[in-house]
Amino acid sequence: MRGPLGAVLERYPLSDGTTEDGGIIRHNRKCRDVAFLVIFIAFWVAMIVNSSFGFNQGNPLRLTYGLDYKGNVCGDKHAHPGLHQLELKYWLNPNQVYQSGVKDSQFALSNARSICLLDCPTPLEDSLSWVCDYPEGDIHLLMDDWIDRNYDYYEILTPEMKNASLQLQGPCYPVIFPSVNVYWSCQYIARASNASLRHWKQMGGVDIKEDIVIDKSIHSFINSRSSVLKRYMADIGKAWPVLIVCGGLLPLFLSVVWLLMIRYFVAAMPWITVAFFNILIITVTVFYYLKAGWIGNDAISPIIGDHDPYIHVFGRELNHLRAAAILMTFVMVLSILTSIAIVRRILMGTSVLKVAAKVIGEVQALIIFPVIPYSILAIFYMVWISAALHLFSSGQIVQNNCNTNCCAYDLLSEKVNCDHCCGYSIRYTPHIAVAIFFHLFGCYWATKFFIACSSTVIAGSVASYYWTRGETSSEVPVLPVFDSMKRLIRYSLGSVALGSLIASFVESIRFILESFRRKLKVAETTPDSWFGKMVYHTSQGCLRCVEWTIKSVNRNAYIMIAITGKSFCRSSAIATELIMNNILRLVRVNVIGDVILFLGKLFVSLSSAVFGFLVLDTHKYSSGHNKLSSPLLPVLVCWTLGYVVATLFFAVVEMSIDTLILSFCQDSEEHEGTAQFAPLLLMETLNEQNDMQRLTQ
């Protein structure tokens, strides 16, 4: 059994029956959960080492651009030769492309001879155009001159070189098929130019295969799962200005405005929050229906044409938009129904918010405090995203081991070379996958840790306000927020590290199990027996309940850590006992406030996502050097960042309410049901008789 909290707070009875109030911030504290603080520091050292590996081995250009036949990354100015602005990968030999697409062929497209170009070549109508290899050896041309000549120096070749070129062995290759830029690769169009093909045959060139296979081979290569994943990661790097503005600055502005409105217009804020959230949800849903083509024309077909054979290249993105539209439809319906259901309870939520608004008004530093963890997280995210891009691109470039015919003319040795002519690929070792997983978990734990630290500081500040009778006590420090920060850093970092680790670990396990469940569902290996299905779904439900319980216990544990200075486990036990003893009061009063705060967080994060989508849908990010393969992942990142920022700022209200309620419950238990330290407004809100009257009404 725990003792009275007053003893913990150093409120000892004197001989005359009065109580000596030493104040919540003056009792003796000790460093708690030091072992987990050491683990957290070791984890940060490992994160730095892991990120250093990525910065040392990775090259984000690999996520966007392909490799040429020498293993150079297109667009890399440090390559040999320098490939600055030469970002498009082009396969020189059309017969090799055809061979790689033939069923059961042993020849892979990665072994076909490819170079990097400034733009994709197209056939000429009155003559035969050529694309020649990088100039070197006896071809005394600068790279700039080679580009100015449209990559063509066929006329200065020796007879031996011209003969090799007519055999499709280089150094020059004919442009027979048109090609278009698809995700920085020149996609062949399987419609050969009749004029170019006629000129080629008149010159005595070898037979060139004409078939749709030449189209499908490159298309399959471009749209493989690994290529799509790399492009999505590259989109994050290209959209970094949007992430800063829409994922960082915009939610900061909206969150501060929301806090100020809570401070000065608290009675109207629940209604405003619910109304604006529903309007935003409906707007986003209609917007997705427009983009997916279910209302009017879709956003993709008018650009490339319904009858264009390459419309299937964009089919993946269109399907993603339609899936998002369906998801938003369910969210919209659920939002509207929930809003209707809680209309009667919003008044009670308003009364709770009034108490929090009063605390914020008294402890004014609470409004600006979240800027500190916000700044720390902003710096962390910028470094983390950069390290993530380098880790995802940290595979080793190695030459393929092939036994197929890939002979080509070597300008340096001045002969056709059939040795070591295989192409290059990026090989990822298992330890890179482990490093990426560790990096992802590190971001999740660090985010939880900083949010927990912020929540604990806020709880300590509000507790100082409560247990010193607010404005009526001379013991309220001028800057209670900074005193609370000092106590956290000096005594409780280990406890916060433990709580954030538990939450991160449980949520990560649930995510992994959910991934396995989806794979089993796709593979149709879910249990067939009724018992197996029962165990299968029960385990999922239990895991969700455990996750929700840990989130709730952690939040209240941080409050008790701030109040008592106890370890995480001890604080969790105290908080749990308080909650169980006052469960009806907490449910009746606090649930609606939590719902309103949650809707506010969703409003801020969803606004960030919408503005991010609108910016990414402009010409700047739909064409040219900054073209994105899909805006969906950057929009999702904006949504996530917006939610994290909103959580930091909304915690001022959320933790104020929870801290006041837990302190009130403890105060009531210590004084036989009558709280002695509660402010008048809080007593009016939480008084048992008033609650019973509201329940009866």
Side-chain angles (χ1 to χ4, degrees), residues 438-484:
F438 179 80
H439 196 66
L440 294 173
F441 178 78
C443 177
Y444 199 68
W445 188 10
T447 301
K448 289 284 187 181
F449 176 80
F450 287 121
I451 292 177
C453 287
S454 178
S455 300
T456 306
V457 171
I458 294 170
S461 305
V462 177
S464 298
Y465 170 86
Y466 180 93
W467 291 102
T468 52
R469 293 187 174 89
E471 71 278 5
T472 63
S473 174
S474 60
E475 296 181 5
V476 177
V478 177
L479 294 176
V481 173
F482 295 100
D483 286 348
S484 183

Side-chain angles (χ1 to χ4, degrees), residues 184-352:
W184 300 276
S185 293
C186 291
Q187 165 83 57
Y188 276 7
I189 299 177
R191 294 194 295 265
S193 169
N194 294 331
S196 298
L197 194 59
R198 184 172 63 253
H199 284 294
W200 170 254
K201 291 181 179 179
Q202 289 174 355
M203 297 176 66
V206 298
D207 184 44
I208 292 180
K209 305 292 185 181
E210 297 181 72
D211 196 280
I212 194 67
V213 171
I214 200 172
D215 171 330
K216 293 182 177 179
S217 176
I218 297 179
H219 173 73
S220 300
F221 177 82
I222 292 174
N223 289 277
S224 63
R225 289 186 176 181
S226 60
S227 298
V228 172
L229 177 61
K230 291 177 183 177
R231 287 199 298 270
Y232 278 12
M233 288 301 303
D235 291 340
I236 299 297
K238 293 180 180 180
W240 66 266
V242 180
L243 300 184
I244 292 177
V245 175
C246 298
L249 299 180
L250 179 62
L252 170 65
F253 172 76
L254 293 177
S255 299
V256 172
V257 169
W258 195 90
L259 278 182
L260 292 176
M261 292 185 69
I262 278 286
R263 171 68 182 90
Y264 295 104
F265 306 101
V266 62
M269 276 310 295
W271 305 99
I272 294 175
T273 301
V274 172
F276 270 84
F277 177 75
N278 283 286
I279 292 173
L280 184 61
I281 286 290
I282 295 172
T283 303
V284 172
T285 305
V286 173
F287 181 76
Y288 270 111
Y289 271 78
L290 288 170
K291 301 300 289 185
W294 287 339
I295 299 179
N297 295 323
D298 64 76
I300 297 174
S301 298
I303 299 175
I304 59 177
D306 291 325
H307 303 292
D308 194 298
Y310 297 94
I311 193 171
H312 59 276
V313 173
F314 300 87
R316 186 193 305 269
E317 181 181 355
L318 187 59
N319 289 335
H320 288 173
L321 288 172
R322 289 175 175 173
I326 295 174
L327 176 62
M328 289 306 303
T329 302
F330 283 106
V331 173
M332 179 185 68
V333 173
L334 181 62
S335 171
I336 294 174
L337 293 178
T338 303
S339 301
I340 295 174
I342 66 172
V343 165
R344 285 188 165 183
R345 309 280 295 182
I346 286 181
L347 288 176
M348 187 176 294
T350 303
S351 62
V352 176

